[in-house]
Amino acid sequence: MAKNITPRATDYSKWYTDVVIQAKMADYSPVKGSMVIRPNGYAIWELIQKYLDQMFKDTGHVNAYFPLLIPESFMKKEAEHVEGFAPECAVVTHGGGQELEESLYIRPTSETIIWSMYKKWIMSYRDLPILINQWANVMRWEMRTRLFLRTSEFLWQEGHTAHATAEEAEEETLKMLNVYKIFAEEYLAIPVIAGRKSESEKFAGAVHTYSIEAMMQDKKALQAGTSHNLGQNFAKAFDVQFQNKEGGRQYVYATSWGVSTRLIGALIMTHSDDNGLVLPPKLAQRPLVIVPIYRKDDEKTKVMAYADALYRELSEKHKVIFDDREQYKPGYKFAEWELQGIPLRIEIGPRDVENNKVVLVRRDTMKKDFVDRQAIAAVVDETLPRMQGEMLERARAFQKANTHKVDSFDALKEIVSGDGGFVNAHWCGDAACETRVKEATKATIRNIPFDREEEKGACVCCGKPSEGRVIFSKAY
RNA sequence: CGGGGUGUGGCGCAGCCUGGUUAGCGCACCUGCCUUGGGAGCAGGGGGUCGGAGGUUCAAAUCCUCUCACCCCGACCA
């Protein structure tokens, strides 16, 4: 039905790109690997920012801004960090026509520059905690990029906190992961599994990394957010110490956490269909469109008056699109707004005026309902939140249906290389087993879920004792 | 870095092998008419020197040499 969009069943990856481009969310830029976020895409990012920013502030955080450029020497202070990030950094070597004394890295993440500043700001336990977030762009020189999911430059927020004790840092790390989980589920309508990353998958420089993992419609996993307990690694690298109540000196404990424009990719791949984007109502800046339908002039007069009155009424509470363009026929408009994911469409034609009704169409189910004119405002107010909830439940059911308990290596391999999905399997904790699975199946351990059952078992790979199941899956 | 491929109006392509009128088609765009309950139709119109450089030739989008860019697969990353 939709022109120009490859069906999911034909080529999922192509479908994704088609939706992004056709719905005018993003476009390729002249620079390889970087994209332009167009108004339709940026509107989603603005809402993500709005909601998350409030959630950060409600949990005691404040915003600040640190510079884009980081001295090379800073990047090299934390051993694991430099090893993890140096290969994928862009580096500025010239400025003002001169070669620089010291090269400047375009931030791939801001731990180093921020901790160089925290050193100046933290003297005493009275200066702690520091709970700072920043909204920024970062750059990672990825070899293979995809719109929203992995671009060289991307937008994100990064929280960087400093604490007096290890316990407090761990508490903060988990608290923010939970904020992400709530945000993903209640706003993006994306069910996620929160858990701890294995050693090999954790952030370069972290003690523990936690993540939320979502399942896309092709049953692959997408890491949707991470929260890191950095321990004293960065405090030691940048020599950030404070004096405690007892007068002793000790290193500060750190956390960092972030989500990025990748969430827009997650949103698309979780809910959208072969007709284009499907947005959960909370992520739609404009949740409603009104399409008038008429043939003759006298019909037009009546329909437009009727539609305009409704437009005014609904506009009191919602941002409504009134599509009164003359050059397009209704069918074209339907297709266009479906492509762009507008949650609710109201069609008004002569018959509706006659019967004192309107036609209401939900984007997620495509179901059409005839609604009494008097009731429409109330029905809209009731439908939007219901749609939000049903989208989450539908995604949750899909995730559940494609998650499999497995107790042998062969069974794991069969699922991963066959139908796909999440595999719940025992793992002994040994990185060697993790690597073996990855090499045999391309699946990695997504995380060790917090809410996993207490269950003794045998590692699916080596047979040694395991404390519980972890999630294996192919991932983006 | 290895393998494969592509560069021709905004987008998608044909033409190239076998050089030869004014470089063609679909979509999009503009104007008018006509239409409007699932992406209408007709007529008219604007827009490209064929990625770049050099060469062969009376003549090059087409043949030759060099060069640049991008895409796909792999490796890498997630």
Side-chain angles (χ1 to χ4, degrees), chain A residues 25 192 247 324 345 376 406 466:
Chain A
M25 286 185 276
V192 293
D324 57 359
R345 176 174 78 241
I376 185 65
V406 151
S466 149

Side-chain angles (χ1 to χ4, degrees), chain A residues 275-407:
Chain A
N275 291 322
L277 184 63
V278 179
L279 281 176
K282 286 183 183 175
L283 270 294
Q285 276 199 358
R286 303 182 299 177
L288 281 162
V289 59
I290 296 174
V291 179
I293 301 160
Y294 47 81
R295 289 170 200 273
K296 300 165 229 142
D297 276 350
D298 59 321
E299 284 180 353
K300 180 180 174 184
T301 310
K302 284 181 197 162
V303 165
M304 292 307 267
Y306 188 89
D308 187 61
L310 181 61
Y311 169 68
R312 287 164 197 274
E313 183 181 335
L314 293 174
S315 291
E316 286 171 19
K317 285 179 81 167
H318 307 281
K319 181 79 183 160
V320 184
I321 304 162
F322 187 15
D323 192 352
D324 57 359
R325 291 175 297 175
E326 300 272 359
Q327 72 269 40
Y328 296 116
K329 302 210 310 176
Y332 181 93
K333 295 178 181 178
F334 297 164
E336 178 167 296
W337 297 118
E338 278 161 12
L339 174 59
Q340 296 191 21
I342 306 300
L344 291 178
R345 176 174 78 241
I346 292 172
E347 306 171 8
I348 296 174
R351 289 206 297 273
D352 305 305
V353 177
E354 194 72 27
N355 300 328
N356 211 31
K357 302 255 184 192
V358 304
V359 175
L360 182 69
V361 189
R362 256 173 75 157
R363 175 64 184 89
D364 60 334
T365 59
M366 298 285 236
K367 274 184 70 178
K368 289 194 178 193
D369 276 315
F370 293 87
V371 180
D372 286 335
R373 170 65 183 84
Q374 286 72 16
I376 185 65
V379 171
V380 163
D381 288 346
E382 181 261 343
T383 303
L384 288 171
R386 188 146 51 85
M387 183 172 164
Q388 178 85 30
E390 288 176 10
M391 285 180 70
L392 173 64
E393 287 319 310
R394 211 173 300 130
R396 204 190 290 284
F398 180 83
Q399 189 198 77
K400 201 176 163 193
N402 291 290
T403 299
H404 311 280
K405 267 195 186 180
V406 151
D407 291 305

Side-chain angles (χ1 to χ4, degrees), chain A residues 371-471:
Chain A
V371 180
D372 286 335
R373 170 65 183 84
Q374 286 72 16
I376 185 65
V379 171
V380 163
D381 288 346
E382 181 261 343
T383 303
L384 288 171
R386 188 146 51 85
M387 183 172 164
Q388 178 85 30
E390 288 176 10
M391 285 180 70
L392 173 64
E393 287 319 310
R394 211 173 300 130
R396 204 190 290 284
F398 180 83
Q399 189 198 77
K400 201 176 163 193
N402 291 290
T403 299
H404 311 280
K405 267 195 186 180
V406 151
D407 291 305
S408 77
F409 193 87
D410 286 342
L412 183 153
K413 198 171 167 181
E414 195 185 319
I415 287 176
V416 170
S417 44
D419 205 33
F422 286 2
V423 171
N424 262 312
H426 280 285
W427 173 55
C428 61
D430 191 334
C433 290
E434 197 179 356
T435 306
R436 217 190 111 197
V437 171
K438 185 175 179 178
E439 283 171 0
T441 68
K442 287 193 160 184
T444 49
I445 294 176
R446 300 321 306 153
N447 68 23
I448 304 157
F450 291 143
D451 62 358
R452 69 176 180 175
E453 293 168 35
E454 289 284 325
E455 182 192 77
K456 302 268 184 209
C459 176
V460 76
C461 183
C462 68
K464 280 189 265 187
S466 149
E467 296 300 309
R469 294 174 186 270
V470 302
I471 301 171

